[in-house]
Amino acid sequence: MQFLLYLTLLGALGTTMGMNETTRRQANVTTVEVEGEQCSTCEFREQSRLMRLHNIRSQILSILRLEQAPNISRDMIKQLIPKAPPLTQLMDQYEHRVEDEERATTETIITMAKPGPMSQQDGIPSCCFFNLSPKIRPNNILHAQLWVHLRPADTVTTVFLQISRIKATTEGNSRIRILSLKINVASGASSWQNVDINQLLKAWLRQPETHYGLEIKAYDSNGKDLAVTVVELGEEGLQPFMEVKILENLRRSRRDSGLDCDEESSETRCCRYPLTVDWLEAFGWDWIIAPKRYKANYCSGECEYMHLQKYPHTHLVNKANPQGTTGPCCTPTKMSPINMLYFNHMEQIIYGKIPSMVVDHCGCS
């Protein structure tokens, strides 16, 4: 009797141990499956991040109409960047921050002076003509300034800054004085001077055929011209330039809903993830002056079947050809621009807005 009881207990114990072992095996399989899914999600997210970087590189070159990035070294950049207040202030603004997804409603356009079409006629000096951006219109100018750099004076003196508009007539070219300014300068100190040219710029825009450039003179008490119009050795970046601030009318769009996640998130659905792009680290680019880094963001994740209710055409296509499609994809549904200061292939400095650079929202489409 005791022997039979012992056998019964032993059988029950064996059954329990077998069940526990099966349970442990099932738990281990479940753990492996979960870890595998998480690993797969991480790999897919990394692929999405790398694809986003590739698209950013291609997008910038395409928008700026560059077949390849400008080949400009750091030493060349130091020589080419104008040593002028508007640019130094812009660069200071970007020095300790990352360009975020702020909606700027204004844009600043800086145009450097160059030899004009009439520069070789009637003794007209080789400066100063400005190629006006098509973005600038008479009704969107907030302010326009002309910046002129004065060479150091030998003594404390008064400088008479004279700006004349060059006009073509049937009898030849003439100059129309539009501004005279008296400036007191110290001995041995160079300086930047700026003057308002709102009305002049609007007149040029309304009658483009009258734009032949400006003549700039800055005489001291001895009759010496201190204005830097023709750049000499060591004066790189000191030529006159025009700074124009314009207002942009941005249409307000409805904010789309979307998930925001971080890199530690276990979310598998379509989500927006943070991505900060450093031009030098990501692409080896020195030619973008500012910002040096910006928050680009990217989309990654799965689009579940319920999203098909929002896009019924996708559902119909999938039913017609179930093996030819994979359903909706996680993609940006709203993007915004950034302002960027950069060199083009002609070594000219451009400050403008680059569209669709920041992912604001992600969704399935």
Side-chain angles (χ1 to χ4, degrees):
M1 188 71 176
Q2 290 179 347
F3 178 72
L4 290 175
L5 181 61
Y6 173 75
L7 288 177
T8 302
L9 290 174
L10 185 61
L13 181 61
T15 302
T16 302
M17 290 178 64
M19 292 178 62
N20 289 341
E21 182 65 24
T22 302
T23 302
R24 280 196 297 271
R25 287 178 180 176
Q26 290 176 345
N28 289 338
V29 170
T30 302
T31 302
V32 170
E33 288 178 350
V34 171
E35 290 178 350
E37 289 178 1
Q38 291 177 345
C39 183
S40 176
T41 300
C42 293
E43 289 178 356
F44 182 76
R45 192 182 301 167
E46 177 63 13
Q47 291 176 0
S48 300
R49 189 186 72 85
L50 294 176
M51 180 60 70
R52 173 73 172 129
L53 287 171
H54 173 77
N55 290 340
I56 289 172
R57 185 183 188 281
S58 301
Q59 180 183 352
I60 287 184
L61 294 179
S62 175
I63 290 174
L64 302 182
R65 298 180 180 179
L66 298 172
E67 294 184 1
Q68 58 185 8
N71 185 17
I72 301 178
S73 66
R74 290 189 179 183
D75 292 337
M76 289 179 64
I77 289 174
K78 292 179 181 179
Q79 296 176 8
L80 292 171
I81 294 179
K83 305 175 182 68
L87 285 180
T88 54
Q89 289 169 8
L90 275 175
M91 294 172 68
D92 287 343
Q93 290 175 15
Y94 285 109
E95 184 68 25
H96 300 293
R97 72 180 177 91
V98 176
E99 179 69 358
D100 206 341
E101 49 195 270
E102 300 171 354
R103 275 55 166 191
T105 57
T106 62
E107 184 172 354
T108 299
I109 300 174
I110 295 175
T111 306
M112 310 300 293
K114 54 180 285 188
M118 313 296 290
S119 60
Q120 302 302 321
Q121 301 181 26
D122 298 339
I124 300 293
S126 60
C127 185
C128 299
F129 183 80
F130 302 91
N131 283 326
L132 303 180
S133 168
K135 292 184 178 182
I136 305 174
R137 301 184 300 275
N139 60 351
N140 73 347
I141 298 174
L142 294 179
H143 76 249
Q145 292 183 314
L146 174 68
W147 289 81
V148 180
H149 193 265
L150 303 183
R151 295 185 177 96
D154 296 331
T155 60
V156 176
T157 186
T158 298
V159 173
F160 293 90
L161 178 61
Q162 300 173 357
I163 299 175
S164 302
R165 180 178 177 180
I166 299 173
K167 184 177 181 180
T169 65
T170 55
E171 300 177 355
N173 300 317
S174 62
R175 303 166 182 80
I176 302 175
R177 182 76 53 81
I178 59 174
L179 184 139
S180 293
L181 187 65
K182 186 168 70 172
I183 306 167
N184 294 322
V185 298
S187 173
S190 62
S191 64
W192 281 98
Q193 303 295 330
N194 64 302
V195 295
D196 184 279
I197 55 168
N198 267 14
Q199 297 307 315
L200 170 65
L201 184 56
K202 289 178 180 179
W204 276 346
L205 292 168
R206 292 190 179 101
Q207 295 180 303
E209 69 277 4
T210 65
H211 175 28
Y212 290 102
L214 299 174
E215 179 186 85
I216 302 173
K217 298 289 184 181
Y219 296 109
D220 64 10
S221 55
N222 296 321
K224 182 180 179 180
D225 186 5
L226 302 182
V228 177
T229 54
V230 179
V231 176
E232 299 177 356
L233 185 63
E235 293 182 335
E236 295 80 6
L238 300 182
Q239 64 266 43
F241 66 93
M242 185 183 296
E243 177 196 11
V244 184
K245 189 172 186 178
I246 61 175
L247 179 66
E248 293 185 322
N249 293 322
L250 298 180
R251 293 185 298 174
R252 294 184 177 273
S253 59
R254 178 179 60 86
R255 290 182 64 88
D256 297 325
S257 59
L259 294 175
D260 283 338
C261 303
D262 57 38
E263 295 298 340
E264 303 301 322
S265 174
S266 59
E267 180 63 66
T268 60
R269 292 175 297 171
C270 180
C271 198
R272 184 182 75 155
Y273 290 89
L275 172 63
T276 299
V277 177
D278 184 299
W279 307 117
L280 186 60
E281 290 181 2
F283 312 128
W285 287 353
D286 278 322
W287 57 278
I288 297 179
I289 304 171
K292 294 296 185 185
R293 302 178 306 282
Y294 91 102
K295 293 181 180 179
N297 306 326
Y298 70 99
C299 300
S300 184
E302 299 175 357
C303 290
E304 300 174 358
Y305 183 80
M306 64 180 182
H307 291 294
L308 294 176
Q309 297 176 0
K310 187 177 179 181
Y311 304 97
H313 63 282
T314 306
H315 179 47
L316 293 175
V317 171
N318 287 350
K319 287 187 66 177
N321 185 18
Q323 295 181 350
T325 60
T326 57
C329 297
C330 182
T331 186
T333 56
K334 187 173 185 297
M335 302 188 75
S336 58
I338 63 169
N339 290 321
M340 199 166 78
L341 187 67
Y342 62 94
F343 284 99
N344 63 12
H345 65 284
M346 298 175 63
E347 298 181 357
Q348 295 174 333
I349 296 176
I350 309 295
Y351 180 65
K353 193 179 294 296
I354 309 298
S356 303
M357 292 297 293
V358 179
V359 174
D360 295 323
H361 301 294
C362 298
C364 294
S365 62

